[in-house]
Amino acid sequence: MRQAPFIAVEGPIGAGKTTLAIMLAQELRLPVIKEIVEENPFLDKFYQNMDDWSFQLEMFFLCNRYKQLEDTVNEYIDKGKPVILDYHIYKNLIFGERTLKGTKREKYREIYHVLTDDLPKPDIILYIRADLDTLLARIAKRGRPFEKEIAPAYLQQLIGDYDAAMASLALTEPSTVIVNIDGNQADFVENKEDFTAIAAQLKELMK
């Protein structure tokens, strides 16, 4: 592990990635980098018609996350400064494989690997796993208008996609420590003890 760790928080839509990343950043006095979500101009169109707008949506996310990660490398990682992100760049493949088809999927894979294969990988991933009912409740609570169009079946598929992705990363990025957080049981927002336990585990890993 690098002396100044690179930490990522991941999980499907509604898992609480950004919330946990911000809370940990405040607790550990770390800079936090948040992904661009609502600024994506294709979100509304995508949830209304996934087939027509998936490629535009995924390319926007990939290019913006690539630029964010490139800046993060220059500003923090290359300078030996710890940093926490509320995503892993690999999430682009998770969503791309789910939403894209045929030649568009193949082109997207190629572009993804060209952009990301030589980028630093996180030292620690905090993976928040939660069941469908938990995710739907949290999505409803935060009230983003475009997320009202998310089909439960699509969200259920993403849960499985994320589980498979974390298993894949455990094999392909063996130097990365993956911390599994039970998002159904651990309420790190409302229960201080739950958050304290997560923060303590992360602090121990960072030593």
Side-chain angles (χ1 to χ4, degrees):
M1 188 180 295
R2 283 175 285 253
Q3 186 175 3
F6 169 19
I7 304 159
V9 181
E10 259 301 354
I13 300 167
K17 300 179 294 294
T18 302
T19 299
L20 181 58
I22 292 171
M23 292 173 69
L24 288 170
Q26 292 173 344
E27 176 74 14
L28 278 61
R29 298 182 181 179
L30 297 176
V32 60
I33 309 298
K34 297 181 289 183
E35 67 174 329
I36 294 170
V37 177
E38 296 183 44
E39 294 88 343
N40 192 323
F42 303 108
L43 267 172
D44 286 334
K45 296 181 177 69
F46 169 74
Y47 285 123
Q48 293 169 18
N49 190 327
M50 291 187 177
D51 289 338
D52 282 355
W53 293 98
S54 57
F55 189 76
Q56 294 91 327
L57 177 97
E58 300 303 343
M59 283 303 302
F60 181 94
F61 276 136
L62 177 58
C63 291
N64 275 275
R65 288 172 187 148
Y66 169 75
K67 181 63 170 70
Q68 274 191 319
L69 194 49
E70 188 180 48
D71 291 344
T72 300
V73 170
N74 294 332
E75 295 175 18
Y76 299 103
I77 297 170
D78 282 353
K79 294 179 179 178
K81 298 178 180 179
V83 65
I84 184 167
L85 277 73
D86 68 351
Y87 66 94
H88 186 309
I89 195 71
Y90 192 80
K91 79 180 301 173
N92 291 281
L93 272 190
I94 298 174
F95 283 85
E97 292 291 326
R98 173 56 55 192
T99 61
L100 299 172
K101 299 175 183 176
T103 57
K104 288 183 178 180
R105 180 188 289 172
E106 294 172 8
K107 290 178 181 178
Y108 185 80
R109 286 175 185 159
E110 292 178 8
I111 297 169
Y112 170 85
H113 286 295
V114 167
L115 290 177
T116 69
D117 280 358
D118 61 346
L119 291 173
K121 305 300 189 292
D123 299 298
I124 303 168
I125 301 173
L126 302 175
Y127 172 44
I128 309 169
R129 193 196 185 282
D131 293 338
L132 180 61
D133 288 346
T134 300
L135 297 180
L136 288 173
R138 290 180 179 172
I139 288 170
K141 185 176 180 179
R142 69 187 181 190
R144 289 175 174 170
F146 60 86
E147 289 182 343
K148 294 178 181 179
E149 304 294 333
I150 298 177
Y154 172 72
L155 199 56
Q156 184 65 63
Q157 290 172 331
L158 281 180
I159 294 171
D161 292 342
Y162 262 96
D163 285 342
M166 291 301 135
S168 176
L169 287 175
L171 295 174
T172 59
E173 299 179 10
S175 63
T176 299
V177 177
I178 299 177
V179 178
N180 291 294
I181 298 171
D182 186 344
N184 300 310
Q185 298 297 323
D187 188 344
F188 45 81
V189 176
E190 300 295 337
N191 190 325
K192 186 176 181 180
E193 291 182 357
D194 289 343
F195 172 71
T196 299
I198 295 170
Q201 188 174 8
L202 180 55
K203 288 176 184 177
E204 188 65 27
L205 289 170
M206 290 174 65
K207 289 181 179 178

